[in-house]
């Protein structure tokens, strides 16, 4: 990178993808040294501070994220994407996981910053996710060669509608959807399903933890016993999933599953890993 990022500033785009919002950067605009890069991103987000008042973070893990994008040197790949999960009240930067939400913004960002040329109506590009070595194809509307952010696609957790982005994700080499080889395992007496599909997750029955699935995130976050139990399971699941000691990591995520409400096939409450 050239110049002083503090004095000169760093080009950045804020993009919502799915139910997350993140800061998108070109790799060439950030320091090459990971420690310098992470320190700069923490400063940009305003971490550590529960309000992130001195930065652009939104005081929640879903809005304290960064994507670093560059042209790919790999054959058949258009751009490389590195995801970073930044803490809110703790100065931590996680690179173990990827993020499908911010992946949705990589294509439009690549077009806006000139990494790829937009097609006349619809653009598709191949994205290598550096965190997991998975590859995705992103397809989105580009009428007249410009990204169209408007549309009629709506998702739970986000008000209004926006343009849809299709993501087709393929697993990287030597990856297994079920890292233990089992459909179910038992941890601390609870039946769990461990899944690694871009994001490592632990699936559990909500009823085993006294949860109906109708509780608000605030309600679940106010239950220290529940958080302690889930954290115990999470730490044991880490080594089983090949992640090693996950005490200081943001993966795997913990999902409590229950019967669907207001349509759909299933209801979920996600601990990511501590906020709900």
């Amino acid at each position: 990178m050239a110049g002083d990022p503090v004095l000169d500033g760093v080009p950045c785009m804020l993009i919502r993808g799915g139910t997350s919002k993140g800061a998108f950067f070109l790799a060439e605009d950030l320091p090459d040294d990971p420690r310098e890069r992470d320190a700069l991103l923490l400063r940009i987000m305003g971490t550590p501070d529960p309000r992130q008042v001195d930065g652009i973070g939104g005081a929640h893990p879903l809005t304290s994220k960064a994507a670093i994008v560059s042209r790919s040197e790999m054959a058949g790949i258009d751009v490389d994407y590195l995801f970073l999960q930044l803490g809110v009240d703790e100065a931590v930067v996680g690179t173990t996981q990827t993020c499908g939400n911010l992946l949705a913004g990589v294509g439009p960002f690549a077009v806006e910053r000139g990494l790829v040329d937009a097609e006349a109506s619809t653009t598709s590009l191949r994205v290598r996710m550096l965190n997991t070595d998975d590859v995705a194809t992103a397809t989105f509307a580009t009428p007249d060669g410009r990204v169209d952010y408007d549309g009629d696609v709506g998702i739970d957790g986000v008000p209004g509608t926006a343009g849809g982005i299709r993501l087709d994700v393929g697993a990287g080499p030597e990856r297994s959807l079920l890292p233990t080889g089992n459909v179910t395992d038992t941890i601390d007496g609870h039946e769990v399903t461990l899944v690694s599909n871009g994001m490592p997750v632990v699936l559990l029955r909500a009823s085993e933890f006294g949860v109906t699935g109708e509780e608000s995130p605030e309600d679940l976050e106010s239950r220290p016993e529940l958080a302690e139990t889930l954290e115990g399971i999470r730490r044991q699941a880490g080594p089983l999933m090949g992640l090693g000691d996950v005490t200081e990591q943001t993966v795997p995520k913990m999902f409590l599953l229950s019967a669907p409400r207001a349509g759909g096939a299933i209801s979920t409450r996600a601990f990511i890993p501590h906020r709900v």
Side-chain angles (χ1 to χ4, degrees):
M1 66 172 298
D4 186 319
V6 176
L7 294 177
D8 302 326
V10 181
C12 169
M13 283 186 68
L14 291 177
I15 302 177
R16 178 187 66 77
T19 55
S20 295
K21 180 176 67 177
F24 285 68
F25 302 91
L26 291 179
E28 64 193 51
D29 291 331
L30 295 175
D32 294 327
D33 182 89
R35 291 173 297 180
E36 295 180 17
R37 176 201 68 198
D38 293 353
L40 175 61
L41 291 176
L42 288 169
R43 180 168 182 167
I44 289 172
M45 283 294 166
T47 301
D49 171 33
R51 295 182 298 158
Q52 292 183 317
V53 69
D54 202 29
I56 63 175
H60 193 281
L62 290 179
T63 54
S64 189
K65 301 184 174 188
I68 301 176
V69 185
S70 61
R71 287 188 179 90
S72 182
E73 297 180 355
M74 178 175 286
I77 304 296
D78 295 295
V79 296
D80 291 340
Y81 153 54
L82 178 68
F83 169 71
L84 298 99
Q85 177 67 62
L86 291 97
V88 176
D89 50 359
E90 296 182 0
V92 295
V93 180
T95 59
T96 304
Q97 68 184 73
T98 190
C99 177
N101 282 328
L102 290 203
L103 173 62
V106 170
F109 174 79
V111 170
E112 299 284 10
R113 295 305 307 272
L115 300 181
V116 298
D117 295 325
E119 301 295 333
S121 58
T122 301
T123 297
S124 291
L125 54 86
R126 298 269 286 169
V127 181
R128 179 171 60 147
M129 294 177 278
L130 297 180
N131 307 78
T132 59
D133 207 29
D134 295 331
V135 174
T137 299
T139 304
F140 49 98
T142 52
D144 301 319
R146 298 184 60 182
V147 179
D148 186 1
Y149 296 97
D150 290 328
D152 58 3
V153 176
I155 60 174
D156 287 342
V158 178
T161 61
I165 296 179
R166 174 169 175 162
L167 298 173
D168 296 297
V169 181
E174 299 180 0
R175 287 278 304 283
S176 173
L177 180 68
L178 303 173
T180 66
N182 303 320
V183 174
T184 60
D185 294 278
T186 301
I187 300 178
D188 284 350
H190 294 284
E191 191 175 49
V192 304
T193 294
L194 309 178
V195 180
S196 182
N197 187 26
M199 177 73 71
V201 299
V202 179
L203 308 179
L204 311 104
R205 288 189 179 90
S207 59
E208 292 187 15
F209 301 89
V211 174
T212 67
E214 299 182 1
E215 295 86 353
S216 68
E218 293 78 14
D219 181 353
L220 296 177
E221 288 177 357
S222 69
R223 304 184 187 185
E225 300 85 359
L226 175 62
E228 182 178 350
T229 300
L230 292 179
E231 179 62 12
I233 296 174
R234 190 182 78 85
R235 293 186 182 186
Q236 294 177 67
L240 295 176
M241 302 181 76
L243 302 173
D245 184 357
V246 297
T247 302
E248 302 299 327
Q249 296 187 37
T250 57
V251 290
K253 312 298 188 188
M254 310 295 289
F255 281 77
L256 300 182
L257 310 181
S258 57
R261 299 178 300 114
I266 202 163
S267 180
T268 69
R269 287 293 183 268
F271 291 70
I272 58 169
H274 307 300
R275 297 297 302 272
V276 181

